[in-house]
Amino acid sequence: MQQSLPGTRNVARLLRWGNRRLSDTIFRGITILLVLFVVAIVAGVAWILISNSMPAIQKFGFRFLTNQAFDPVHNVFGVGPAIFGTLVTSAFAILFAIPIGVGTAIFLVDFCPRPIQSPLAFIVELLAAVPSVIYGLFGFLVLAPWLQGSAEPWLQKYLGFLPFFQGAFHGLSLFTAGVILVIMVLPLITSVSREVILTTPTTQREALLALGATRWEVIRHAVLPYSRIGITGGVILALGRALGETMAVTMVVGNQASPISPGLFNSGYTLASVIANQFNEATPGLFFSAVIEAGLLVFIITLITNIIARVLIYRMGHRVGGLAT
Amino acid sequence: MSITVEQQQPTANPFQAPRTAHNARRRISNIAIVALSLLATAFAVAVLLFLLLYVLRAGLPYINLDLFTKIPTPNGEPGGGLANSIQGSLILVGLASLFGIPLGLFTGIYLSEFGGRGPIATGVRFLVDVLTGIPTIIFGLFAWIFIVVPQQSFSGLAGGVALGIIMIPIVARTSEVVLRLVPNELREASLALGATESRTILRVVIPSARNGIITGIVLAMARVAGETAPLLMTAFGNPFFNSDITQPMDALPLRIFNFAESPYQAQINQAYAGSLVLIVLILITSFAIRWATGGFKHGGR
């Protein structure tokens, strides 16, 4: 990536910078102190989440993951339905965002007229700049009523034999949350895919074109195999976003611990929406601790997905930046 | 005796692929992929346009002077405004900047100027990248436990701290990237003239990367200005003007959230108006950043 090592330190080394001035020591000291402070904040976040969820962890153990509800009356807490809802909405979002997102990236790089390529990519990235509360507002006031009144009955009429589309229609449902999430993670997948597709060596494209391949065959046999790892990284990054999205999902998912069933039209819960809904009622003690443990779970899940995603993207020799990521 | 001239095959273009069934299939799948990818792009663009136009149509009639000068009316009576929310948002973003910008900037300086490719710098860099993907409500929880619970009061300070932590990785990453773009010759020239390391960084390297660093800071401020989740349990919201950071404070996204689910049409209208204000603000910063980084000049590969 980089040809030479930039940075003052390396230049200074080059000059055999021996005895440092006092001002340098102070400046370097301040910088390192602040970096340590940042690292300490991250460690502090992890430590505070773990230590405050200890009471709930000790009381419930792994049953916390399967217990059905937040029940302060009987002092039993669990996130079973929330984990189910989180997985369903995220899986739904990723399933539909992958073809649309990667398709958009392919169009932008390979088929789009050159002058509008960059502006179009910018417009797609703007989707990521819209605050999530506005997606929530739109989902709550516009999308949910429309889905309940039109889309859900239509789906049931024609695809009702599938277990996903059975049951009563709810506007505030796992389905609505999934649809909103598709839109929200789309720009992430598009922008990462576009960046890695752009790195496919021109020689590989030209070689296939010279053999008489069509544009699609070039994509299929040169571009996609080359950028597969990076695109996977982008998809996992998007998965992390979907798993942890709070506001938009909380506003449209219904926030009811429904029984686990394949029906997408049911109201549901997600881990992040449990936190947003319960923190205000949390009385000190087990209830408080259970809310924090839900947060700890979100933290661990998104930490793992993000670590995997970044490792994959690094392997492409890339550090994706920009509005969307 | 006549010579029969063989009927010549009409080979118009030797580069044209022969018209076999196999090639027809290839051509059709090629066209199908172009069409499908065009459709995907059209979907993404249409969603954005629909969202923007819808918020514009629903919010524009309720944009008036009162929105920026008055506080919400009780019980959804018509009139009133979101002035306290806008004031709160400004204070919160200011607090966050106070806290997030130095930490982010110095992390960027460390990564670019001191860290190089050593294991510690690699670790910090990885941490910064991973941090950008952690849901923001987690930092809200942190500030809640750390500040709100001991103080026994929701506060603007807690909100500012949560937003500040969210700013750190954004500022750190952009400033590292732009500092790395500063040519090494500049550093060498400065050191060769006898300037100290700290003077070189402060007087030569940072000024050369100033525009990029400012871009990163503006980007981070725009990002946290739209954050809601971490403010739920920290700043909490407040229907009145408040500039005391130890007390609950309103923020524009929080007000939009509360009014969106309101039973009163007047409040829903104001939620749309507030959303429009927020979207316009974010669109302006996004375009400004793109213009400042020269994104409109060179396109493509």
Side-chain angles (χ1 to χ4, degrees), chain A residues 2 4-12 14-15 17 20-21 23-24 27-28 30-32 34-35 37-39 41-42 44-45 48-49 52 99-100 103-104 106-111 114 117-120 122-124 126-127 129-135 137-138 140-142 182-183 186 198 205 212-217 219 240-241 244 246-247 250-251 272 275-276 279-280 282 288 291-292 295 298-299 302-303 306-307 310-311 314 319-325, chain B residues 26-27 29-30 33-34 37-38 40-41 43-45 47-48 50-52 54-55 99 102-104 106-107 109-117 124-135 137-139 141-142 144-146 149 154 165 168 173 176-177 180 182 184 187-188 191-192 194-202 205-206 219 223 226-229 232-233 236 253 256-257 260-261 268 271-272 275-276 278-279 282-283 286-287 290 295-296 298-301:
Chain A
Q2 288 102 22
S4 68
L5 277 172
T8 318
R9 186 192 200 175
N10 302 300
V11 178
L14 216 69
L15 297 168
W17 207 260
R20 227 180 270 131
R21 303 269 186 88
S23 60
D24 286 356
F27 183 72
R28 185 178 289 231
I30 291 173
T31 308
I32 290 173
L34 290 176
V35 171
F37 191 58
V38 172
V39 175
I41 289 174
V42 180
V45 170
I48 268 193
L49 289 178
N52 281 282
I100 303 174
T104 304
I106 288 173
F107 178 80
L108 287 173
V109 178
D110 279 79
F111 303 129
R114 190 62 68 80
Q117 180 188 338
S118 192
L120 212 54
F122 176 66
I123 289 175
V124 175
L126 274 183
L127 273 176
V130 175
S132 77
V133 71
I134 292 178
Y135 281 114
L137 169 104
F138 184 76
F140 181 77
L141 293 172
V142 183
V182 170
I183 300 168
L186 193 62
L198 279 170
R205 292 168 174 276
T214 62
R215 303 289 287 272
W216 164 234
E217 283 159 351
I219 294 165
R241 176 79 50 96
T246 313
M247 285 325 292
T250 303
M251 290 172 83
I275 306 170
F279 82 92
N280 208 12
F288 176 79
V291 174
I292 307 298
V298 174
F299 184 64
T302 53
L303 199 65
N306 273 282
I307 287 173
R310 291 294 169 184
V311 167
Y314 282 173
R319 229 178 144 217
V320 180
L323 275 179
T325 51
Chain B
R26 290 174 62 207
R27 221 176 10 258
S29 64
N30 190 42
I33 284 302
V34 176
S37 71
L38 174 65
T41 314
F43 173 79
V45 174
V47 165
L48 181 73
F50 183 72
L51 188 73
L52 294 184
Y54 195 93
V55 172
F99 178 62
L103 286 174
F106 273 90
T107 306
I109 292 173
Y110 170 78
L111 289 175
S112 160
E113 304 302 312
F114 297 136
R117 283 190 201 154
V124 172
R125 196 170 290 130
F126 192 72
L127 190 74
V128 164
D129 276 354
V130 168
L131 261 188
T132 53
I134 301 296
I137 195 168
I138 298 298
F139 304 114
L141 272 182
F142 171 73
W144 181 46
I145 305 169
F146 200 60
V149 172
F154 295 106
I165 299 176
I168 294 172
R173 204 159 67 156
E176 185 204 346
V177 170
R180 273 177 182 277
V182 175
N184 244 358
R187 296 185 180 91
E188 287 164 356
L191 291 169
T196 62
E197 190 187 53
S198 54
R199 188 158 269 253
T200 302
I201 293 173
L202 290 173
V205 180
I206 290 178
L219 186 72
R223 178 70 56 87
E227 279 296 342
T228 319
L232 287 174
M233 60 218 36
F236 192 71
I256 293 169
F257 170 56
E261 300 189 345
I268 292 176
Y272 275 119
S275 300
L276 183 59
L278 203 57
I279 280 193
I282 281 162
L283 282 184
S286 298
F287 273 94
R290 188 148 167 95
F296 286 123
H298 46 78
R301 292 174 203 164

Side-chain angles (χ1 to χ4, degrees), chain A residues 25 71 200 236 246 258 269 306:
Chain A
T25 315
D71 183 358
T200 312
I236 297 175
T246 313
S258 329
Y269 237 140
N306 273 282

Side-chain angles (χ1 to χ4, degrees), chain B residues 10-298:
Chain B
T11 52
N13 180 357
F15 297 108
Q16 186 81 51
R19 289 185 169 274
T20 59
H22 173 67
N23 280 341
R25 227 175 17 249
R26 290 174 62 207
R27 221 176 10 258
I28 288 166
S29 64
N30 190 42
I31 292 167
I33 284 302
V34 176
L36 285 177
S37 71
L38 174 65
L39 214 64
T41 314
F43 173 79
V45 174
V47 165
L48 181 73
L49 286 183
F50 183 72
L51 188 73
L52 294 184
L53 290 178
Y54 195 93
V55 172
L56 185 71
R57 205 193 56 144
L60 196 61
Y62 304 98
I63 298 274
N64 49 39
L65 194 64
D66 282 0
L67 195 76
F68 300 96
T69 54
K70 291 194 174 151
I71 65 171
T73 52
N75 301 328
E77 287 161 28
L82 307 174
N84 59 327
S85 318
I86 294 169
Q87 180 214 29
S89 270
L90 290 176
I91 295 175
L92 285 170
V93 173
L95 268 176
S97 307
L98 222 59
F99 178 62
I101 292 174
L103 286 174
L105 182 56
F106 273 90
T107 306
I109 292 173
Y110 170 78
L111 289 175
S112 160
E113 304 302 312
F114 297 136
R117 283 190 201 154
I120 298 172
T122 309
V124 172
R125 196 170 290 130
F126 192 72
L127 190 74
V128 164
D129 276 354
V130 168
L131 261 188
T132 53
I134 301 296
T136 51
I137 195 168
I138 298 298
F139 304 114
L141 272 182
F142 171 73
W144 181 46
I145 305 169
F146 200 60
I147 301 173
V148 174
V149 172
Q151 277 196 332
Q152 300 191 314
S153 165
F154 295 106
S155 67
L157 178 68
V161 168
L163 295 185
I165 299 176
I166 298 163
M167 282 180 82
I168 294 172
I170 308 173
V171 175
R173 204 159 67 156
T174 43
S175 48
E176 185 204 346
V177 170
V178 295
L179 286 172
R180 273 177 182 277
L181 290 176
V182 175
N184 244 358
E185 286 80 359
L186 282 179
R187 296 185 180 91
E188 287 164 356
S190 169
L191 291 169
L193 286 171
T196 62
E197 190 187 53
S198 54
R199 188 158 269 253
T200 302
I201 293 173
L202 290 173
R203 289 294 178 81
V204 177
V205 180
I206 290 178
S208 335
R210 193 179 50 220
N211 288 347
I213 292 174
I214 292 172
T215 302
I217 289 172
V218 174
L219 186 72
M221 288 168 81
R223 178 70 56 87
V224 297
E227 279 296 342
T228 319
L231 296 181
L232 287 174
M233 60 218 36
T234 52
F236 192 71
N238 190 336
F240 305 104
F241 276 114
N242 170 35
S243 50
D244 179 358
I245 60 167
T246 64
Q247 293 300 312
M249 193 171 270
D250 219 39
L252 197 50
L254 270 181
R255 184 58 48 189
I256 293 169
F257 170 56
N258 288 327
F259 276 7
E261 300 189 345
S262 156
Y264 306 110
Q265 189 58 40
Q267 295 193 333
I268 292 176
N269 292 338
Q270 284 192 334
Y272 275 119
S275 300
L276 183 59
V277 172
L278 203 57
I279 280 193
V280 167
L281 220 88
I282 281 162
L283 282 184
I284 289 173
T285 45
S286 298
F287 273 94
I289 286 167
R290 188 148 167 95
W291 178 75
T293 51
F296 286 123
K297 281 177 232 150
H298 46 78

